[in-house]
Amino acid sequence: MADEKTRKIQELMHQQEKIRNIAIAAHIDHGKTTFSDNLLAGAGMISKELAGKQLALDFHEDEATRGITIDSASVSMVHKLDEEYLINLIDTPGHVDFSGEVTRAMRAADGCIVLVDAVEGVMPQTETVLRQALKELVKPVLFLNKVDRLIREVKLTPQEMEKRFISVINHVNELISNIAPEGYKEKWKVTVSEGSVSFGSAFHNWALSFQYMKSKGITFKDVIDAYQNDKVKELAKKAPLHEIVLEMVIKHHPNPVQAQKYRIPKIWHGELDSEIGKSLINCDADGEPVFVPTKIVVDRHAGEVAAGRLFSGTMKQGDDVYMNLAKRNVRIQQVSVYRGAHRMVVDEVSAGNIVGVVGLKDVFTGETVSKKPMEPFEAIKHLFEPVVTKSIEATKAADLPRLVEILKQIRKEDPSIKIEIDEQTGESLMSGMGELHLEIIENRIKSEKGLPVKTSPPIIVYRETVSRESPSAEGRSPNKHNSFYMRVEPLENDVYEAIKSGELREGRVKKKNEVIFNVLSGLGWSGDMIRDVKNIYKGNIFLDETRGEVHIGEVMEMVLDAFEMVMNQGPLAREPCMKLKVSLDDTRLHEDAIHRGPAQVYPAVREGILEAMRKAGSYLLEPLQIHVIEIPDKFLGAVTKLVGSKRGQMLEVKQEGTQAEVKTKLPVAEMIGWSNDLRSATEGRGTSSLLDQLFEKVPASIQADVIRKIRRRKGLSENQ
Ligand code: GDP
């Protein structure tokens, strides 16, 4: 890669009118990877021989086989039309969207290429991704791929080919006019006459637009001839894919300054007249810096790299910035842009670009990073507690080290997946937000990494809590010399919410903590009580209410260990506890430290808390999910029935054109096989995405049965 290119990219990133930020909307297997590689190769960003085989966008594959650091979050290329342009192509996941990743990727783009396999036509995922794009006011153009198959496999005549194209174009336009917001339904239709449609073969590296055919005197018949007379290479020389496609992008997609004028009011709900509002609308490089990460990639050298869109201002190494959702200050360690698929560290990045930022510790996608606190871009999106667990192991024992490697990587890249690795037995546990979530991970391991794995049926993780305050319960140590008097009660809802939202940070409390003091006194706790808080753990709080006990400091860490043990395994079914306030009322301790070691303290405290919970009416909570199901409206009846059959509840139904959106609440325990059930109920046209997750009391009629089953599975006695 010539240094000339590097210099060019650095120059162009400051010329906003020369930038295009784009994404690809495609159904899986329609050729997105092959297509992107050919664009990159055409623009001289990877070698031509390797294009199509190199899979530059496929970070995992590439990293494994070539051992270099490639960042899949975004790729950039320079293309010369009348002048040179910088095109940033942001990666979108190639699987069913589960966590809003597509939406967030789309947020960074202003234009998208809808890529459709000409043989298969528009498929459900084409529709879903296009929908996400239009919601974010990302402007579409159309590319019909795999035209070679129409010629070689389907053997269409020139007339039939034209007819086929028109039918796909009409289908895409029907979707656009159904889905696009008012004002864009007509304006954003793709048309042959204006050149926002092109077609070709990513595999054979050629493409055509109707204008190009006219200007070069190429006909459909010529294309068919090329295949019949072994002249495909010539065709690819005459009409190289990247030239046609990148010209379409440059001409039809907006530059960031044009796009932010209409996109900002749609995707940011702050005061548009404020200084920061104006800076965003104008994509002002001299304004306030505002960065929205859309993908986090773990880089072997730099660690966590947040890739995303710099909507305004400039950012550089050493800048102190504020993460508005996490409510934390951090310092930027590195800023970068992309050169081909490589991340290139630069001195400074400026508004309107897709950039990489290092130093935003523990950042999540969708965060809004700015200099001063501001209205964030996206409503806070919790990372949900994992509620479904599956064991996973390599089919072949020899693959174990690779599986462990892959699982470690996944754990870093998808913070919503929890993984417990057992490097000895090879059986690891992965826990996620739902069965579908784990299925996606499993498929990624199988297809993307080519590693055969076996998984167990999914297990639902419940929670335990109490309904009322208990009396003080004594827990005695095995040597009978120590007693701990424990009391439990339900934790107030607003306190629990403050923990869940991160306002109250979890962890042991060593000294006076101002944040905890402010939050809890704001919620009505007395100063005395707040001073007693010793631990905030998994949505539970521990209070030390003993007074004047001389040895308490010596045993407190052990008491807290034991508290955490019970919070991980409650009395009913050894499921984790939540929403508990646990108090240590009093103690009786042996004078001599030797008689109050862990072997004495642990069982005593554990027994005290468990006993208190039993006396406080403990019960089981089950996870439920709020899902938004999108379907063509004719399947509304079928979906209503399906939801009903799963103890689910319909919360809201919205209709728009021929499309319906259903909000439902479903117990996770009943969602096993959900994606298959939804598929069969909707002929594959329904998609469902997770909106929220909550816990509710298991219906009384089934609680005993659920507890019995869990205890049996864990090999516990039937009696609690
Ligand atoms: P993705 O899942 O959308 O990223 O698709 P890939 O780029 O991995 O392509 C899926 C399959 O389609 C691969 O086997 C490609 O070789 C093949 N493919 C991609 N483009 C074309 C094309 O233009 N013609 C034909 N015949 N096959 C193609």
Side-chain angles (χ1 to χ4, degrees), residues 149-164:
R149 290 184 61 199
L150 285 183
I151 301 167
R152 295 213 286 209
E153 292 169 31
V154 196
K155 301 203 175 2
L156 295 188
T157 64
Q159 289 76 22
E160 288 168 331
M161 222 157 94
E162 197 168 343
K163 239 172 94 189
R164 176 60 156 249

Side-chain angles (χ1 to χ4, degrees), residues 27-34 145-146 148-149 200-203:
H27 191 76
I28 192 148
D29 265 350
H30 280 198
K32 187 184 83 175
T33 312
T34 316
N145 192 29
K146 304 200 187 181
D148 57 299
R149 290 184 61 199
S201 165
F203 199 65

Side-chain angles (χ1 to χ4, degrees), residues 613-631:
M613 282 186 76
R614 286 187 199 104
K615 290 181 171 160
S618 53
Y619 64 90
L620 210 57
L621 293 161
E622 69 172 337
L624 292 98
Q625 291 183 343
I626 311 280
H627 272 251
V628 173
I629 305 170
E630 295 184 67
I631 36 163

Side-chain angles (χ1 to χ4, degrees), residues 476-479 482 558 594-604 606:
R476 285 173 96 185
S477 60
N479 65 10
N482 305 277
M558 287 183 275
I594 214 154
H595 296 297
R596 45 178 159 84
Q600 303 302 327
V601 175
Y602 284 175
R606 252 189 0 229

Side-chain angles (χ1 to χ4, degrees), residues 392-396 399 403 430 441-443 445-446 451-455:
I392 178 165
E393 56 186 322
T395 314
K396 285 181 276 171
D399 283 336
L403 178 64
M430 49 177 194
I441 299 293
E442 192 180 328
N443 286 339
I445 297 174
K446 281 184 189 156
L451 192 73
V453 287
K454 282 194 297 233
T455 56

Side-chain angles (χ1 to χ4, degrees), residues 24 26-38 52 55 57-58 94 115 117 119 143-150 152-153 200-206 227 241:
I24 298 175
H27 191 76
I28 192 148
D29 265 350
H30 280 198
K32 187 184 83 175
T33 312
T34 316
F35 179 84
S36 323
D37 274 354
N38 276 321
L55 304 174
L57 267 180
D58 200 335
L115 179 119
D117 179 331
V119 178
F143 182 77
L144 294 149
N145 192 29
K146 304 200 187 181
V147 169
D148 57 299
R149 290 184 61 199
L150 285 183
R152 295 213 286 209
E153 292 169 31
S201 165
F203 199 65
H204 295 130
N205 211 1
W206 62 269
Y227 276 94
L241 180 115

Side-chain angles (χ1 to χ4, degrees), residues 74-101:
S74 178
V75 295
S76 298
M77 54 205 120
V78 176
H79 183 62
K80 188 161 185 327
L81 202 58
D82 45 342
E83 290 169 275
E84 282 175 312
Y85 290 83
L86 172 64
I87 292 139
N88 300 315
L89 168 61
I90 186 128
D91 191 24
T92 44
H95 52 66
V96 186
D97 181 37
F98 193 67
S99 57
E101 209 185 328

